[in-house]
Amino acid sequence: MRSPAGTRSAEPGRPNRQSDKYTRFVSAGLGRELASRLGLPQPAVLRRYEPGAALITGPVLVEGSSAGADALAARLLDWDLDVRRHAAPKTKLGAIIVVLDELADPSGLSGPVRSVGASLRDLSANGRVVTISRPASADLDPAGAAGRNAVGGILRSIAKELRHGATANGIILGDGADTTSVSALGALRFFLSGRSAFVDGQFLTVATGSGELPQDWDLPLAGRVAVVTGAARGIGEAIARVLHRDGADVVVVDVPAAGEPLAAVANDIRGTALQLDITAEDAGERILAHAKQRYGRLDIVVHNAGITRDKLLANMDAARWDSVLAVNIIAQLSMNRKFLASELFHDHPRIISVASTSGIAGNRGQTNYAASKAGVIGMVSATARLMEPFGGSINAVAPGFIETDMTGKIPFATREVARRLNSLQQGGRPEDVAETIAFLAAGSSGGINGSVLRVCGQSLVGQ
């Protein structure tokens, strides 16, 4: 999805509330009736995370007959969930978890999938469907690979069928992982919660990795120190605020021209501000020096800063091309080399980079931006192995259409089409991206490494 022109955040600007007005109008009373009669989109008001709120409302149905399904059901009782192993007709469900960890061939799909289908009408508004399966690797026999790969088609199709803000996402159990591994439980809790409100039709692969479940699920980043670039406004500001809410000490970074709003963000979250051009040769050293002086450590780096300089390739000049690549990817590569070489960043570190669906699907007039964001995805994949010696991880988050002041300036018709081109039929919010980044920054995500998680409401672009 096209990103608006900006100079600091990957998707700059504060949330634009125009879509909220439409969503509220069609969610009840006359608006709902009118939208139904006219066949207009009826996006739901999404359930978003609030500290202290229940993880999920309503019973959680665990489908599957494997030992892994039994173990998971028992573990979920520790989360004070109402866990059911069999569906009761006309019982409203908060979530359906489908455990397919022992699937051997496509014939094994019929029973559990049809059982899920019979329960979908009982799924509550803003409910959740989560599959847990294993990867369709090339060394499997053909039948096994066929069955496992079929889960992807099933899950993504279910996501497109759900309504009323419900979502469907999948967990793939990679090397050494089982249904109760730390990162499998961390990913499951994320997908069940309001943190994943705008994540739909996506899969996360988890391995054993390192890390642990937090003592307090509302403060999963307690004691950690984070740096967020491009943090003066928009998505970067939202990231800084969510990381602080989750317990982290936060260093906010942006260009000197953004000094005033950057200082305001730092003051609000009791963090510190660093005015810095991230393309400077010494940017990495300056961030490390600041973190060492103020906090004595650095644990989390969020590469959010980015710019767009849109032009059709036929009209693209060197300045537009070079500046976008310099900020969006070359600066990250340079800083990461400095961070990984520093003992300050060796205690189960986390790097999260903001990519874009443009880097996955491309976008007209954005060859430079799409190249830079595709480059981010390649960098994440190749850097993953470099994080392992320190018990660390690196991942990317790829936003779709996110409501900001800048997207609010897009012509009305174009903006409305962009909002509706996903299964949730609405744009996301900056906090949706921030919640996903905070999840990947947590200790429970140590077994997720080298992944790209889209925050796009299951966009029809680049699926």
Side-chain angles (χ1 to χ4, degrees):
M1 186 59 59
R2 176 179 292 274
S3 298
T7 58
R8 301 178 184 94
S9 300
E11 304 282 351
R14 294 180 184 274
N16 179 289
R17 299 301 181 192
Q18 296 182 47
S19 66
D20 289 354
K21 295 177 182 177
Y22 176 83
T23 298
R24 287 194 295 269
F25 177 70
V26 300
S27 294
L30 176 62
R32 176 189 292 173
E33 182 179 348
L34 184 62
S36 179
R37 287 183 179 181
L38 296 178
L40 297 174
Q42 292 181 273
V45 176
L46 302 181
R47 171 175 64 94
R48 289 183 165 90
Y49 173 75
E50 295 181 9
L55 175 64
I56 199 88
T57 301
V60 176
L61 174 64
V62 178
E63 283 280 359
S65 57
S66 68
D70 293 337
L72 178 64
R75 188 62 189 268
L76 293 182
L77 294 174
D78 296 338
W79 293 353
D80 295 325
L81 297 177
D82 180 1
V83 180
R84 309 286 179 88
R85 295 295 273 122
H86 302 284
K90 298 183 180 178
T91 297
K92 279 295 181 183
L93 299 170
I96 303 170
I97 302 171
V98 193
V99 182
L100 300 166
D101 59 326
E102 294 184 3
L103 183 66
D105 60 66
S107 65
L109 291 166
S110 179
V113 173
R114 286 188 296 107
S115 181
V116 169
S119 299
L120 283 181
R121 286 190 175 88
D122 296 325
L123 190 65
S124 300
N126 282 292
R128 299 288 190 260
V129 176
V130 181
T131 61
I132 301 178
S133 58
R134 295 195 181 275
S137 57
D139 58 352
L140 283 175
D141 66 276
R148 293 182 181 185
N149 211 54
V151 176
I154 293 166
L155 186 281
R156 293 188 177 99
S157 297
I158 290 174
K160 288 182 167 69
E161 294 180 7
L162 296 177
R163 293 294 180 265
H164 310 300
T167 63
N169 294 288
I171 297 168
I172 297 175
L173 302 175
D175 294 342
D178 58 35
T179 59
T180 59
S181 294
V182 167
S183 289
L185 291 173
L188 179 60
R189 193 174 179 101
F190 171 71
F191 283 142
L192 291 177
S193 76
R195 290 179 182 268
S196 63
F198 203 58
V199 179
D200 197 13
Q202 305 304 308
F203 282 88
L204 267 179
T205 297
V206 304
T208 50
S210 60
E212 58 186 6
L213 299 177
Q215 294 183 351
D216 185 345
W217 283 102
D218 283 333
L219 293 171
L221 301 179
R224 304 289 274 175
V225 176
V227 166
V228 182
T229 66
R233 54 175 60 87
I235 288 178
E237 177 185 349
I239 295 166
R241 293 184 183 279
V242 168
L243 295 182
H244 165 69
R245 181 205 67 195
D246 283 0
D249 291 312
V250 184
V251 179
V252 291
V253 176
D254 217 314
V255 293
E260 187 173 342
L262 186 70
V265 173
N267 289 336
D268 283 350
I269 65 172
R270 299 182 181 89
T272 59
L274 176 61
Q275 297 181 25
L276 175 68
D277 177 357
I278 62 168
T279 65
E281 186 176 346
D282 64 345
E285 288 97 332
R286 289 183 59 187
I287 289 173
L288 287 165
H290 181 98
K292 182 177 182 179
Q293 179 185 11
R294 298 302 180 94
Y295 304 104
R297 60 187 296 147
L298 178 60
D299 305 298
I300 300 161
V301 172
V302 181
H303 291 300
N304 166 74
I307 62 173
T308 56
R309 296 289 184 267
D310 296 354
K311 213 72 170 173
L312 293 175
L313 182 58
N315 301 320
M316 183 78 66
D317 56 39
R320 283 186 172 88
W321 181 273
D322 293 343
S323 61
V324 168
L325 271 291
V327 173
N328 294 4
I329 180 60
I330 295 172
Q332 291 189 32
L333 289 164
S334 174
M335 288 187 287
N336 285 351
R337 284 192 289 269
K338 305 293 175 54
F339 298 147
L340 289 173
S342 171
E343 293 185 358
L344 203 69
F345 193 60
H346 284 180
D347 183 10
H348 299 87
R350 301 282 187 268
I351 299 175
I352 305 99
S353 290
V354 178
S356 170
T357 53
S358 291
I360 297 170
N363 201 24
R364 186 176 188 272
Q366 286 197 313
T367 50
N368 51 357
Y369 184 78
S372 70
K373 294 302 183 178
V376 165
I377 294 170
M379 174 196 73
V380 163
S381 177
T383 306
R385 67 180 185 277
L386 304 180
M387 302 293 290
E388 292 174 355
F390 316 116
S393 67
I394 180 171
N395 295 285
V397 171
F401 186 91
I402 304 297
E403 299 282 354
T404 67
D405 286 343
M406 296 300 289
T407 55
K409 296 176 182 178
I410 296 173
F412 174 79
T414 303
R415 186 172 68 244
E416 282 302 306
V417 169
R419 283 172 174 158
R420 310 308 164 203
L421 284 178
N422 63 71
S423 295
L424 297 174
Q425 297 184 307
Q426 60 190 285
R429 297 180 184 176
E431 56 261 42
D432 296 325
V433 181
E435 296 284 11
T436 305
I437 287 171
F439 153 65
L440 291 170
S444 59
S445 297
I448 303 169
N449 193 15
S451 295
V452 180
L453 185 55
R454 292 175 53 161
V455 184
C456 63
Q458 198 184 24
S459 173
L460 304 182
V461 177
Q463 268 292 90

PDB file of all heavy atoms in Angstrom, residues 59 83 89 161 172 193 317 327 357 384 407:
ATOM      1  N   PRO A  59     -15.605 -18.651  26.241  1.00  0.00           N
ATOM      2  CA  PRO A  59     -14.849 -19.903  26.275  1.00  0.00           C
ATOM      3  C   PRO A  59     -13.873 -20.017  25.100  1.00  0.00           C
ATOM      4  O   PRO A  59     -14.098 -19.449  24.029  1.00  0.00           O
ATOM      5  CB  PRO A  59     -15.934 -20.979  26.180  1.00  0.00           C
ATOM      6  CG  PRO A  59     -17.196 -20.308  26.582  1.00  0.00           C
ATOM      7  CD  PRO A  59     -17.057 -18.880  26.160  1.00  0.00           C
ATOM      8  N   VAL A  83     -11.597 -23.164  29.190  1.00  0.00           N
ATOM      9  CA  VAL A  83     -11.129 -24.013  28.096  1.00  0.00           C
ATOM     10  C   VAL A  83     -12.114 -25.155  27.863  1.00  0.00           C
ATOM     11  O   VAL A  83     -12.488 -25.873  28.799  1.00  0.00           O
ATOM     12  CB  VAL A  83      -9.725 -24.578  28.412  1.00  0.00           C
ATOM     13  CG1 VAL A  83      -9.237 -25.466  27.272  1.00  0.00           C
ATOM     14  CG2 VAL A  83      -8.738 -23.432  28.660  1.00  0.00           C
ATOM     15  N   PRO A  89     -23.381 -26.682  21.185  1.00  0.00           N
ATOM     16  CA  PRO A  89     -24.168 -25.865  20.249  1.00  0.00           C
ATOM     17  C   PRO A  89     -24.685 -24.585  20.898  1.00  0.00           C
ATOM     18  O   PRO A  89     -25.102 -24.593  22.065  1.00  0.00           O
ATOM     19  CB  PRO A  89     -25.318 -26.799  19.852  1.00  0.00           C
ATOM     20  CG  PRO A  89     -24.792 -28.172  20.094  1.00  0.00           C
ATOM     21  CD  PRO A  89     -23.883 -28.065  21.285  1.00  0.00           C
ATOM     22  N   GLU A 161     -13.467 -15.249   5.560  1.00  0.00           N
ATOM     23  CA  GLU A 161     -14.875 -15.510   5.819  1.00  0.00           C
ATOM     24  C   GLU A 161     -15.374 -14.874   7.103  1.00  0.00           C
ATOM     25  O   GLU A 161     -16.575 -14.651   7.270  1.00  0.00           O
ATOM     26  CB  GLU A 161     -15.120 -17.027   5.895  1.00  0.00           C
ATOM     27  CG  GLU A 161     -14.892 -17.760   4.590  1.00  0.00           C
ATOM     28  CD  GLU A 161     -15.143 -19.259   4.715  1.00  0.00           C
ATOM     29  OE1 GLU A 161     -15.623 -19.695   5.792  1.00  0.00           O
ATOM     30  OE2 GLU A 161     -14.852 -19.990   3.750  1.00  0.00           O
ATOM     31  N   ILE A 172       3.312 -21.812  13.365  1.00  0.00           N
ATOM     32  CA  ILE A 172       4.004 -22.966  12.804  1.00  0.00           C
ATOM     33  C   ILE A 172       5.126 -23.355  13.761  1.00  0.00           C
ATOM     34  O   ILE A 172       5.992 -22.538  14.086  1.00  0.00           O
ATOM     35  CB  ILE A 172       4.560 -22.650  11.410  1.00  0.00           C
ATOM     36  CG1 ILE A 172       3.407 -22.327  10.442  1.00  0.00           C
ATOM     37  CG2 ILE A 172       5.379 -23.826  10.881  1.00  0.00           C
ATOM     38  CD1 ILE A 172       3.863 -21.891   9.069  1.00  0.00           C
ATOM     39  N   SER A 193      -5.075 -11.948  21.955  1.00  0.00           N
ATOM     40  CA  SER A 193      -5.305 -10.672  22.635  1.00  0.00           C
ATOM     41  C   SER A 193      -5.700  -9.560  21.670  1.00  0.00           C
ATOM     42  O   SER A 193      -5.635  -9.699  20.450  1.00  0.00           O
ATOM     43  CB  SER A 193      -4.036 -10.242  23.377  1.00  0.00           C
ATOM     44  OG  SER A 193      -3.075  -9.727  22.468  1.00  0.00           O
ATOM     45  N   ASP A 317      15.081  10.685 -10.101  1.00  0.00           N
ATOM     46  CA  ASP A 317      16.439  11.213 -10.150  1.00  0.00           C
ATOM     47  C   ASP A 317      17.283  10.575  -9.049  1.00  0.00           C
ATOM     48  O   ASP A 317      16.782   9.895  -8.151  1.00  0.00           O
ATOM     49  CB  ASP A 317      16.449  12.736 -10.029  1.00  0.00           C
ATOM     50  CG  ASP A 317      15.742  13.240  -8.780  1.00  0.00           C
ATOM     51  OD1 ASP A 317      15.887  12.612  -7.714  1.00  0.00           O
ATOM     52  OD2 ASP A 317      15.033  14.267  -8.866  1.00  0.00           O
ATOM     53  N   VAL A 327      18.341   6.290   4.044  1.00  0.00           N
ATOM     54  CA  VAL A 327      17.619   6.342   5.315  1.00  0.00           C
ATOM     55  C   VAL A 327      16.985   4.994   5.653  1.00  0.00           C
ATOM     56  O   VAL A 327      17.079   4.504   6.781  1.00  0.00           O
ATOM     57  CB  VAL A 327      16.538   7.446   5.284  1.00  0.00           C
ATOM     58  CG1 VAL A 327      15.671   7.387   6.553  1.00  0.00           C
ATOM     59  CG2 VAL A 327      17.182   8.814   5.147  1.00  0.00           C
ATOM     60  N   THR A 357       4.159  -3.318   3.284  1.00  0.00           N
ATOM     61  CA  THR A 357       3.601  -4.191   2.257  1.00  0.00           C
ATOM     62  C   THR A 357       4.083  -3.769   0.871  1.00  0.00           C
ATOM     63  O   THR A 357       4.061  -4.581  -0.060  1.00  0.00           O
ATOM     64  CB  THR A 357       2.065  -4.183   2.307  1.00  0.00           C
ATOM     65  OG1 THR A 357       1.584  -2.838   2.256  1.00  0.00           O
ATOM     66  CG2 THR A 357       1.554  -4.852   3.578  1.00  0.00           C
ATOM     67  N   ALA A 384      19.467 -12.819  11.070  1.00  0.00           N
ATOM     68  CA  ALA A 384      18.922 -13.693  12.118  1.00  0.00           C
ATOM     69  C   ALA A 384      19.998 -14.591  12.723  1.00  0.00           C
ATOM     70  O   ALA A 384      20.086 -14.741  13.942  1.00  0.00           O
ATOM     71  CB  ALA A 384      17.766 -14.520  11.563  1.00  0.00           C
ATOM     72  N   THR A 407      -2.130  10.016   5.619  1.00  0.00           N
ATOM     73  CA  THR A 407      -3.072   9.253   4.796  1.00  0.00           C
ATOM     74  C   THR A 407      -4.402   9.967   4.709  1.00  0.00           C
ATOM     75  O   THR A 407      -5.155   9.780   3.752  1.00  0.00           O
ATOM     76  CB  THR A 407      -3.278   7.823   5.344  1.00  0.00           C
ATOM     77  OG1 THR A 407      -3.684   7.889   6.711  1.00  0.00           O
ATOM     78  CG2 THR A 407      -2.010   7.012   5.230  1.00  0.00           C
TER      79      THR A 407
END
